[in-house]
Short mmCIF file of all heavy atoms in Angstrom, two decimals:
data_model
loop_
_atom_site.label_atom_id
_atom_site.label_comp_id
_atom_site.label_asym_id
_atom_site.label_seq_id
_atom_site.Cartn_x
_atom_site.Cartn_y
_atom_site.Cartn_z
N ALA Q 94 -1.85 15.67 19.87
CA ALA Q 94 -1.56 16.87 20.70
C ALA Q 94 -0.16 17.27 20.48
O ALA Q 94 0.63 17.20 21.41
CB ALA Q 94 -1.87 16.61 22.15
N PRO Q 95 0.29 17.60 19.23
CA PRO Q 95 1.72 17.91 18.97
C PRO Q 95 2.30 19.01 19.89
O PRO Q 95 3.42 18.95 20.14
CB PRO Q 95 1.71 18.21 17.53
CG PRO Q 95 0.32 18.61 17.18
CD PRO Q 95 -0.54 17.82 18.05
N PHE Q 96 1.40 20.01 20.18
CA PHE Q 96 1.94 21.21 20.91
C PHE Q 96 1.70 21.03 22.46
O PHE Q 96 2.02 21.87 23.18
CB PHE Q 96 1.30 22.43 20.46
CG PHE Q 96 1.61 22.79 19.07
CD1 PHE Q 96 0.61 22.87 17.98
CD2 PHE Q 96 2.96 23.13 18.68
CE1 PHE Q 96 1.01 23.23 16.72
CE2 PHE Q 96 3.28 23.44 17.33
CZ PHE Q 96 2.26 23.49 16.36
N ALA Q 97 1.18 19.90 22.89
CA ALA Q 97 0.87 19.70 24.30
C ALA Q 97 1.37 18.41 24.80
O ALA Q 97 2.61 18.28 24.95
CB ALA Q 97 -0.66 19.80 24.48
N GLU Q 98 0.51 17.40 25.03
CA GLU Q 98 0.94 16.11 25.60
C GLU Q 98 1.89 15.37 24.71
O GLU Q 98 2.65 14.53 25.16
CB GLU Q 98 -0.29 15.18 25.83
CG GLU Q 98 -1.21 15.71 26.89
CD GLU Q 98 -2.28 16.61 26.43
OE1 GLU Q 98 -2.14 17.15 25.22
OE2 GLU Q 98 -3.24 16.86 27.22
N GLY Q 99 1.99 15.83 23.45
CA GLY Q 99 2.87 15.11 22.50
C GLY Q 99 4.35 15.67 22.47
O GLY Q 99 5.08 15.43 21.61
N TRP Q 100 4.64 16.53 23.53
CA TRP Q 100 6.02 17.05 23.58
C TRP Q 100 7.03 15.93 23.61
O TRP Q 100 6.59 14.75 24.03
CB TRP Q 100 6.18 18.02 24.79
CG TRP Q 100 6.06 17.34 26.11
CD1 TRP Q 100 4.91 17.20 26.85
CD2 TRP Q 100 7.10 16.82 26.99
NE1 TRP Q 100 5.13 16.52 28.03
CE2 TRP Q 100 6.47 16.33 28.19
CE3 TRP Q 100 8.51 16.83 26.84
CZ2 TRP Q 100 7.24 15.74 29.19
CZ3 TRP Q 100 9.29 16.21 27.94
CH2 TRP Q 100 8.61 15.72 29.08
N LEU Q 101 8.30 16.19 23.24
CA LEU Q 101 9.26 15.06 23.14
C LEU Q 101 10.31 15.02 24.26
O LEU Q 101 10.45 14.06 24.91
CB LEU Q 101 9.91 15.15 21.76
CG LEU Q 101 8.89 15.02 20.57
CD1 LEU Q 101 9.68 15.11 19.23
CD2 LEU Q 101 8.18 13.65 20.66
N PHE Q 102 11.07 16.19 24.43
CA PHE Q 102 12.03 16.13 25.42
C PHE Q 102 12.33 17.54 25.97
O PHE Q 102 11.93 18.53 25.33
CB PHE Q 102 13.38 15.43 24.96
CG PHE Q 102 13.97 16.14 23.73
CD1 PHE Q 102 15.02 17.06 23.94
CD2 PHE Q 102 13.67 15.65 22.46
CE1 PHE Q 102 15.60 17.68 22.84
CE2 PHE Q 102 14.22 16.29 21.35
CZ PHE Q 102 15.26 17.33 21.58
N LYS Q 103 13.02 17.63 27.12
CA LYS Q 103 13.34 18.90 27.74
C LYS Q 103 14.88 18.98 27.76
O LYS Q 103 15.54 18.03 28.07
CB LYS Q 103 12.79 19.02 29.16
CG LYS Q 103 11.25 19.09 29.18
CD LYS Q 103 10.70 19.29 30.55
CE LYS Q 103 9.19 19.30 30.48
NZ LYS Q 103 8.59 19.62 31.72
N ILE Q 104 15.38 20.19 27.45
CA ILE Q 104 16.82 20.36 27.48
C ILE Q 104 17.27 21.56 28.33
O ILE Q 104 16.54 22.53 28.37
CB ILE Q 104 17.45 20.47 26.10
CG1 ILE Q 104 16.82 21.59 25.25
CG2 ILE Q 104 17.35 19.17 25.28
CD1 ILE Q 104 17.56 21.81 23.93
N ARG Q 105 18.46 21.41 28.99
CA ARG Q 105 19.12 22.55 29.59
C ARG Q 105 19.97 23.22 28.48
O ARG Q 105 20.86 22.59 27.99
CB ARG Q 105 19.99 22.17 30.74
CG ARG Q 105 20.66 23.35 31.36
CD ARG Q 105 21.41 22.96 32.68
NE ARG Q 105 20.56 22.39 33.69
CZ ARG Q 105 19.73 23.08 34.48
NH1 ARG Q 105 19.63 24.37 34.30
NH2 ARG Q 105 19.05 22.52 35.48
N LEU Q 106 19.56 24.47 28.13
CA LEU Q 106 20.21 25.11 26.90
C LEU Q 106 21.61 25.44 27.19
O LEU Q 106 22.00 25.87 28.31
CB LEU Q 106 19.39 26.29 26.53
CG LEU Q 106 18.01 26.01 25.98
CD1 LEU Q 106 17.30 27.34 25.77
CD2 LEU Q 106 18.06 25.22 24.72
N ASP Q 107 22.48 25.22 26.18
CA ASP Q 107 23.85 25.71 26.24
C ASP Q 107 23.90 26.97 25.34
O ASP Q 107 23.98 26.87 24.15
CB ASP Q 107 24.73 24.52 25.63
CG ASP Q 107 26.20 24.92 25.72
OD1 ASP Q 107 26.50 26.08 26.15
OD2 ASP Q 107 27.06 24.15 25.21
N GLY Q 108 23.75 28.07 25.95
CA GLY Q 108 23.69 29.38 25.18
C GLY Q 108 22.31 29.69 24.71
O GLY Q 108 21.29 29.01 25.05
N THR Q 109 22.17 30.70 23.85
CA THR Q 109 20.94 31.16 23.39
C THR Q 109 20.60 30.46 22.06
O THR Q 109 21.50 30.54 21.16
CB THR Q 109 20.88 32.63 23.25
OG1 THR Q 109 21.33 33.25 24.51
CG2 THR Q 109 19.50 33.19 22.91
N PRO Q 110 19.50 29.86 21.87
CA PRO Q 110 19.18 29.32 20.56
C PRO Q 110 19.16 30.35 19.52
O PRO Q 110 18.76 31.47 19.71
CB PRO Q 110 17.80 28.69 20.71
CG PRO Q 110 17.48 28.69 22.17
CD PRO Q 110 18.38 29.76 22.79
N ALA Q 111 19.73 29.93 18.35
CA ALA Q 111 19.86 30.90 17.18
C ALA Q 111 19.14 30.35 15.99
O ALA Q 111 18.97 29.16 15.79
CB ALA Q 111 21.29 31.14 16.90
N GLY Q 112 18.71 31.29 15.16
CA GLY Q 112 18.11 30.87 13.79
C GLY Q 112 16.67 30.35 13.89
O GLY Q 112 16.25 29.70 12.91
#
Side-chain angles (χ1 to χ4, degrees):
Chain Q
F96 294 117
E98 291 88 347
W100 65 275
L101 299 178
F102 59 92
K103 295 184 180 184
I104 55 174
R105 180 175 299 285
L106 294 175
D107 181 2
T109 308

